[in-house]
Amino acid sequence: MSASFALALRAAHEAAATQHYPQAALYVVATPIGNLADIGLRALHVLQLVDAVACEDTRHTQSLLRAYGLERPGAQLMAAHQHNEAEAAQTVLARLQQGQRVAYVSDAGTPALSDPGARLVAAARAGGFAVVPLPGASSVTTALSVAGIADDAAFVFMGFLPSKAGERDAAVQALEADPRAVVLLEAPHRIEALARALAALGARPVTVGRELTKQFEEIATVAAQELPSWLAAQATRTRGEFALVVHPAPAQAAPQEDLRVLKLLLPELPLKTAVRLAAEITGQPRNALYAQALRLKPQQDEEAGEN
Protein backbone atom coordinates (compact mmCIF):
# COMPACT_ATOMS: atom_id res chain seq x y z
CA MET A 1 0.00 0.00 0.00
CA SER A 2 1.40 3.39 -0.97
CA ALA A 3 1.99 6.12 1.60
CA SER A 4 -0.79 8.24 0.10
CA PHE A 5 -3.34 5.44 0.47
CA ALA A 6 -2.14 4.79 4.01
CA LEU A 7 -2.76 8.44 4.84
CA ALA A 8 -6.18 8.28 3.16
CA LEU A 9 -7.13 5.23 5.17
CA ARG A 10 -6.05 6.90 8.42
CA ALA A 11 -8.08 9.98 7.46
CA ALA A 12 -11.05 7.74 6.72
CA HIS A 13 -10.96 6.23 10.19
CA GLU A 14 -10.75 9.68 11.77
CA ALA A 15 -13.55 11.12 9.63
CA ALA A 16 -15.78 8.09 10.22
CA ALA A 17 -15.27 7.93 13.98
CA THR A 18 -18.51 9.79 14.73
CA GLN A 19 -20.58 7.92 12.12
CA HIS A 20 -22.79 5.06 13.27
CA TYR A 21 -22.45 1.85 11.24
CA PRO A 22 -25.23 -0.49 12.34
CA GLN A 23 -24.86 -4.23 12.41
CA ALA A 24 -27.18 -6.44 10.36
CA ALA A 25 -26.94 -3.95 7.51
CA LEU A 26 -26.10 -4.05 3.82
CA TYR A 27 -23.62 -1.35 2.74
CA VAL A 28 -23.83 -0.40 -0.94
CA VAL A 29 -20.35 0.88 -1.74
CA ALA A 30 -19.33 2.82 -4.85
CA THR A 31 -15.84 2.03 -6.16
CA PRO A 32 -13.68 3.87 -8.74
CA ILE A 33 -14.59 3.66 -12.42
CA GLY A 34 -10.91 3.76 -13.31
CA ASN A 35 -8.60 5.87 -11.18
CA LEU A 36 -7.99 4.14 -7.85
CA ALA A 37 -7.58 7.50 -6.11
CA ASP A 38 -11.30 8.14 -6.60
CA ILE A 39 -12.28 5.82 -3.72
CA GLY A 40 -14.27 7.48 -0.93
CA LEU A 41 -12.83 7.72 2.57
CA ARG A 42 -15.98 6.22 4.06
CA ALA A 43 -15.77 3.40 1.52
CA LEU A 44 -12.27 2.54 2.74
CA HIS A 45 -13.45 2.56 6.33
CA VAL A 46 -16.49 0.38 5.66
CA LEU A 47 -14.62 -2.11 3.46
CA GLN A 48 -12.31 -2.71 6.42
CA LEU A 49 -15.15 -2.72 8.97
CA VAL A 50 -17.63 -5.17 7.40
CA ASP A 51 -17.70 -8.88 8.09
CA ALA A 52 -17.99 -9.83 4.40
CA VAL A 53 -17.96 -8.30 0.94
CA ALA A 54 -20.37 -9.41 -1.77
CA CYS A 55 -19.09 -8.47 -5.20
CA GLU A 56 -19.59 -8.82 -8.93
CA ASP A 57 -16.22 -10.54 -9.44
CA THR A 58 -14.26 -11.87 -6.46
CA ARG A 59 -10.90 -11.78 -8.26
CA HIS A 60 -11.38 -8.18 -9.36
CA THR A 61 -12.52 -7.10 -5.90
CA GLN A 62 -9.68 -8.92 -4.16
CA SER A 63 -7.24 -7.06 -6.42
CA LEU A 64 -8.99 -3.75 -5.64
CA LEU A 65 -8.87 -4.37 -1.88
CA ARG A 66 -5.22 -5.39 -2.13
CA ALA A 67 -4.43 -2.02 -3.75
CA TYR A 68 -5.76 -0.32 -0.61
CA GLY A 69 -4.10 -2.73 1.80
CA LEU A 70 -7.46 -4.27 2.70
CA GLU A 71 -7.04 -7.79 1.34
CA ARG A 72 -9.54 -10.25 2.81
CA PRO A 73 -9.62 -14.03 3.16
CA GLY A 74 -11.50 -15.73 0.34
CA ALA A 75 -14.21 -16.86 2.76
CA GLN A 76 -15.18 -13.23 3.31
CA LEU A 77 -15.76 -12.58 -0.42
CA MET A 78 -19.01 -13.70 -2.06
CA ALA A 79 -19.82 -13.57 -5.77
CA ALA A 80 -23.07 -11.74 -6.51
CA HIS A 81 -23.37 -11.04 -10.24
CA GLN A 82 -26.20 -10.83 -12.77
CA HIS A 83 -26.37 -14.61 -13.21
CA ASN A 84 -26.60 -15.59 -9.52
CA GLU A 85 -27.87 -12.47 -7.76
CA ALA A 86 -31.12 -14.02 -6.53
CA GLU A 87 -29.27 -17.01 -5.04
CA ALA A 88 -26.47 -14.83 -3.65
CA ALA A 89 -29.06 -12.60 -1.97
CA GLN A 90 -30.11 -15.53 0.20
CA THR A 91 -26.52 -16.05 1.34
CA VAL A 92 -26.22 -12.35 2.19
CA LEU A 93 -29.54 -12.42 4.05
CA ALA A 94 -28.32 -15.34 6.13
CA ARG A 95 -25.31 -13.28 7.22
CA LEU A 96 -27.48 -10.25 7.98
CA GLN A 97 -29.73 -12.44 10.12
CA GLN A 98 -26.62 -13.29 12.15
CA GLY A 99 -26.08 -9.56 12.78
CA GLN A 100 -23.20 -9.19 10.35
CA ARG A 101 -22.34 -6.13 8.31
CA VAL A 102 -22.06 -6.94 4.57
CA ALA A 103 -20.78 -4.61 1.85
CA TYR A 104 -21.72 -4.91 -1.80
CA VAL A 105 -19.50 -3.58 -4.61
CA SER A 106 -19.76 -3.95 -8.37
CA ASP A 107 -16.66 -4.05 -10.57
CA ALA A 108 -16.68 -0.27 -11.06
CA GLY A 109 -18.84 2.67 -10.07
CA THR A 110 -22.10 2.71 -8.14
CA PRO A 111 -23.89 -0.65 -7.84
CA ALA A 112 -27.35 -1.18 -9.35
CA LEU A 113 -26.81 1.37 -12.17
CA SER A 114 -26.47 -0.93 -15.19
CA ASP A 115 -24.67 -3.23 -12.74
CA PRO A 116 -25.90 -5.94 -10.37
CA GLY A 117 -27.06 -4.91 -6.90
CA ALA A 118 -30.71 -3.90 -7.24
CA ARG A 119 -32.08 -7.37 -6.47
CA LEU A 120 -29.78 -7.69 -3.49
CA VAL A 121 -30.90 -4.33 -2.12
CA ALA A 122 -34.57 -5.21 -2.66
CA ALA A 123 -34.11 -8.55 -0.85
CA ALA A 124 -32.39 -6.86 2.11
CA ARG A 125 -35.14 -4.25 2.41
CA ALA A 126 -37.85 -6.91 2.10
CA GLY A 127 -36.12 -8.80 4.91
CA GLY A 128 -36.32 -5.76 7.16
CA PHE A 129 -32.59 -4.99 7.14
CA ALA A 130 -31.01 -1.55 6.86
CA VAL A 131 -29.40 -0.62 3.54
CA VAL A 132 -26.72 2.06 3.81
CA PRO A 133 -25.49 3.87 0.65
CA LEU A 134 -21.89 5.03 0.38
CA PRO A 135 -21.81 7.41 -2.60
CA GLY A 136 -18.87 7.74 -4.91
CA ALA A 137 -17.78 7.43 -8.51
CA SER A 138 -20.38 7.01 -11.26
CA SER A 139 -19.85 7.19 -15.01
CA VAL A 140 -23.33 8.70 -15.32
CA THR A 141 -22.71 11.81 -13.22
CA THR A 142 -19.10 12.03 -14.43
CA ALA A 143 -20.23 12.30 -18.06
CA LEU A 144 -23.01 14.74 -17.22
CA SER A 145 -20.61 17.00 -15.34
CA VAL A 146 -18.54 17.68 -18.46
CA ALA A 147 -21.35 17.78 -21.03
CA GLY A 148 -22.05 21.48 -20.39
CA ILE A 149 -25.80 21.07 -20.17
CA ALA A 150 -27.81 23.81 -18.46
CA ASP A 151 -28.28 23.10 -14.78
CA ASP A 152 -32.07 23.27 -15.11
CA ALA A 153 -32.20 20.68 -17.90
CA ALA A 154 -33.80 17.35 -17.07
CA PHE A 155 -32.03 14.13 -17.98
CA VAL A 156 -32.87 10.44 -18.15
CA PHE A 157 -30.53 7.47 -17.73
CA MET A 158 -31.10 4.74 -20.33
CA GLY A 159 -27.88 2.76 -19.84
CA PHE A 160 -27.16 0.16 -22.53
CA LEU A 161 -29.49 0.17 -25.53
CA PRO A 162 -30.58 -3.22 -26.96
CA SER A 163 -27.89 -5.13 -28.86
CA LYS A 164 -30.20 -6.18 -31.74
CA ALA A 165 -30.21 -3.64 -34.55
CA GLY A 166 -33.99 -3.37 -34.92
CA GLU A 167 -34.59 -2.94 -31.20
CA ARG A 168 -31.72 -0.45 -30.93
CA ASP A 169 -33.08 1.65 -33.83
CA ALA A 170 -36.52 1.66 -32.21
CA ALA A 171 -34.96 2.86 -28.94
CA VAL A 172 -33.19 5.69 -30.80
CA GLN A 173 -36.48 6.70 -32.45
CA ALA A 174 -38.04 6.94 -28.99
CA LEU A 175 -35.03 8.91 -27.80
CA GLU A 176 -35.46 11.30 -30.72
CA ALA A 177 -38.91 12.22 -29.44
CA ASP A 178 -37.61 12.82 -25.89
CA PRO A 179 -36.59 16.47 -25.33
CA ARG A 180 -34.46 15.64 -22.26
CA ALA A 181 -30.77 14.87 -22.13
CA VAL A 182 -30.16 11.11 -22.25
CA VAL A 183 -27.21 9.24 -20.72
CA LEU A 184 -26.12 6.03 -22.45
CA LEU A 185 -23.43 3.47 -21.72
CA GLU A 186 -21.70 1.28 -24.29
CA ALA A 187 -18.98 -1.34 -24.62
CA PRO A 188 -16.13 -1.08 -27.16
CA HIS A 189 -17.35 -3.93 -29.39
CA ARG A 190 -20.74 -2.22 -29.87
CA ILE A 191 -19.84 1.47 -29.96
CA GLU A 192 -19.69 1.72 -33.77
CA ALA A 193 -23.16 0.19 -34.14
CA LEU A 194 -24.52 2.61 -31.53
CA ALA A 195 -22.87 5.55 -33.32
CA ARG A 196 -24.52 4.59 -36.61
CA ALA A 197 -27.90 4.39 -34.89
CA LEU A 198 -27.46 7.73 -33.11
CA ALA A 199 -26.53 9.41 -36.42
CA ALA A 200 -30.27 9.53 -37.14
CA LEU A 201 -30.49 12.32 -34.54
CA GLY A 202 -28.79 14.67 -36.99
CA ALA A 203 -27.31 17.83 -35.54
CA ARG A 204 -28.24 17.01 -31.92
CA PRO A 205 -25.00 17.22 -29.88
CA VAL A 206 -23.58 14.15 -28.18
CA THR A 207 -20.84 14.29 -25.55
CA VAL A 208 -18.69 11.16 -25.66
CA GLY A 209 -16.75 10.13 -22.56
CA ARG A 210 -14.26 7.36 -23.35
CA GLU A 211 -12.24 5.67 -20.60
CA LEU A 212 -13.37 8.24 -18.05
CA THR A 213 -10.86 8.87 -15.21
CA LYS A 214 -8.35 6.47 -16.82
CA GLN A 215 -4.96 7.14 -18.41
CA PHE A 216 -6.31 7.49 -21.95
CA GLU A 217 -9.47 9.43 -21.08
CA GLU A 218 -11.03 11.27 -24.02
CA ILE A 219 -14.01 13.62 -23.97
CA ALA A 220 -15.54 15.27 -27.02
CA THR A 221 -18.83 16.80 -28.10
CA VAL A 222 -19.89 16.23 -31.70
CA ALA A 223 -23.11 16.30 -33.71
CA ALA A 224 -24.83 12.92 -33.62
CA GLN A 225 -24.58 12.61 -37.40
CA GLU A 226 -20.80 13.05 -37.16
CA LEU A 227 -20.29 10.43 -34.44
CA PRO A 228 -19.40 7.53 -36.81
CA SER A 229 -16.75 9.60 -38.60
CA TRP A 230 -15.37 10.88 -35.27
CA LEU A 231 -14.87 7.29 -34.10
CA ALA A 232 -13.30 6.28 -37.41
CA ALA A 233 -10.83 9.18 -37.35
CA GLN A 234 -8.54 7.37 -34.86
CA ALA A 235 -8.27 3.63 -34.24
CA THR A 236 -7.99 4.15 -30.48
CA ARG A 237 -11.41 5.80 -30.32
CA THR A 238 -13.25 2.48 -30.48
CA ARG A 239 -11.38 1.12 -27.45
CA GLY A 240 -12.42 1.33 -23.82
CA GLU A 241 -15.69 1.88 -22.01
CA PHE A 242 -18.06 4.65 -23.07
CA ALA A 243 -20.52 6.97 -21.36
CA LEU A 244 -22.43 9.23 -23.75
CA VAL A 245 -24.72 12.18 -23.12
CA VAL A 246 -27.22 12.98 -25.85
CA HIS A 247 -27.92 16.67 -25.28
CA PRO A 248 -31.47 17.98 -24.89
CA ALA A 249 -33.35 18.38 -28.15
CA PRO A 250 -33.35 21.96 -29.46
CA ALA A 251 -36.55 23.94 -29.19
CA GLN A 252 -38.93 22.69 -31.83
CA ALA A 253 -39.43 24.99 -34.75
CA ALA A 254 -43.03 25.55 -35.76
CA PRO A 255 -44.18 23.03 -38.40
CA GLN A 256 -44.98 25.90 -40.72
CA GLU A 257 -41.34 27.01 -40.53
CA ASP A 258 -40.10 23.52 -41.45
CA LEU A 259 -42.40 23.47 -44.48
CA ARG A 260 -41.49 27.02 -45.48
CA VAL A 261 -37.76 26.25 -45.48
CA LEU A 262 -38.22 23.02 -47.43
CA LYS A 263 -40.46 24.72 -50.00
CA LEU A 264 -37.77 27.34 -50.57
CA LEU A 265 -34.92 24.86 -50.89
CA LEU A 266 -36.43 21.95 -52.83
CA PRO A 267 -36.90 23.75 -56.17
CA GLU A 268 -33.28 24.92 -56.11
CA LEU A 269 -31.37 21.90 -54.75
CA PRO A 270 -31.25 18.10 -54.89
CA LEU A 271 -33.58 16.57 -52.30
CA LYS A 272 -30.87 15.28 -49.94
CA THR A 273 -29.01 18.59 -50.01
CA ALA A 274 -32.22 20.50 -49.33
CA VAL A 275 -32.99 18.23 -46.36
CA ARG A 276 -29.48 18.62 -44.93
CA LEU A 277 -29.63 22.40 -45.10
CA ALA A 278 -33.17 22.47 -43.70
CA ALA A 279 -31.97 20.39 -40.72
CA GLU A 280 -29.15 22.86 -40.07
CA ILE A 281 -31.47 25.86 -40.36
CA THR A 282 -34.38 24.56 -38.26
CA GLY A 283 -32.59 22.17 -35.89
CA GLN A 284 -35.13 19.47 -36.74
CA PRO A 285 -34.19 15.78 -37.13
CA ARG A 286 -33.10 14.98 -40.67
CA ASN A 287 -35.28 11.86 -40.89
CA ALA A 288 -38.45 13.82 -40.16
CA LEU A 289 -37.53 16.53 -42.69
CA TYR A 290 -36.70 13.89 -45.31
CA ALA A 291 -40.18 12.39 -44.91
CA GLN A 292 -41.71 15.85 -45.30
CA ALA A 293 -39.58 16.50 -48.38
CA LEU A 294 -40.72 13.26 -50.02
CA ARG A 295 -44.32 14.37 -49.60
CA LEU A 296 -43.63 17.88 -50.92
CA LYS A 297 -41.45 17.04 -53.92
CA PRO A 298 -44.10 15.47 -56.20
CA GLN A 299 -46.44 18.39 -55.47
CA GLN A 300 -43.75 20.93 -56.34
CA ASP A 301 -42.73 19.04 -59.49
CA GLU A 302 -46.35 19.00 -60.62
CA GLU A 303 -46.71 22.73 -59.99
CA ALA A 304 -43.47 23.40 -61.88
CA GLY A 305 -44.74 21.36 -64.84
CA GLU A 306 -47.95 23.34 -64.97
CA ASN A 307 -45.98 26.56 -65.14
Side-chain angles (χ1 to χ4, degrees), residues 122-148:
R125 288 200 180 282
F129 299 103
V131 179
V132 182
L134 277 77
S138 166
S139 59
V140 177
T141 52
T142 300
L144 281 168
S145 72
V146 293

Side-chain angles (χ1 to χ4, degrees), residues 20-208:
H20 177 57
Y21 296 95
Q23 293 182 313
L26 175 67
Y27 294 83
V28 182
V29 183
T31 55
I33 59 176
N35 193 314
L36 290 179
D38 289 338
I39 191 73
L41 295 182
R42 287 180 65 216
L44 289 173
H45 178 75
V46 165
L47 289 171
Q48 187 173 51
L49 176 70
V50 295
D51 300 289
V53 178
C55 50
E56 190 174 358
D57 184 321
T58 56
R59 291 172 298 180
H60 176 88
T61 299
Q62 187 70 281
S63 176
L64 180 70
L65 293 174
R66 189 178 299 121
Y68 301 124
L70 300 176
E71 188 170 0
R72 285 180 167 273
Q76 294 181 1
L77 292 178
M78 299 174 290
H81 46 73
Q82 61 177 340
H83 302 296
N84 79 335
E85 192 172 355
E87 178 184 348
Q90 299 309 308
T91 303
V92 171
L93 289 178
R95 285 182 174 266
L96 296 178
Q97 287 166 355
Q98 296 170 17
Q100 294 187 15
R101 300 180 181 95
V102 179
Y104 180 74
V105 300
S106 57
D107 284 350
T110 302
L113 298 180
S114 285
D115 273 337
R119 291 182 181 178
L120 181 58
V121 168
R125 288 200 180 282
F129 299 103
V131 179
V132 182
L134 277 77
S138 166
S139 59
V140 177
T141 52
T142 300
L144 281 168
S145 72
V146 293
I149 295 171
D151 57 7
D152 59 348
F155 74 90
V156 60
F157 173 59
M158 292 185 66
F160 292 90
L161 293 188
S163 58
K164 293 183 179 179
E167 295 176 0
R168 181 173 55 242
D169 290 343
V172 171
Q173 288 180 1
L175 185 158
E176 183 176 357
D178 195 325
R180 299 170 294 182
V182 180
V183 183
L184 304 173
L185 303 179
E186 195 50 276
H189 66 282
R190 295 186 356 178
I191 187 61
E192 290 174 294
L194 176 64
R196 290 192 295 269
L198 291 177
L201 299 178
R204 193 164 170 178
V206 178
T207 293
V208 184

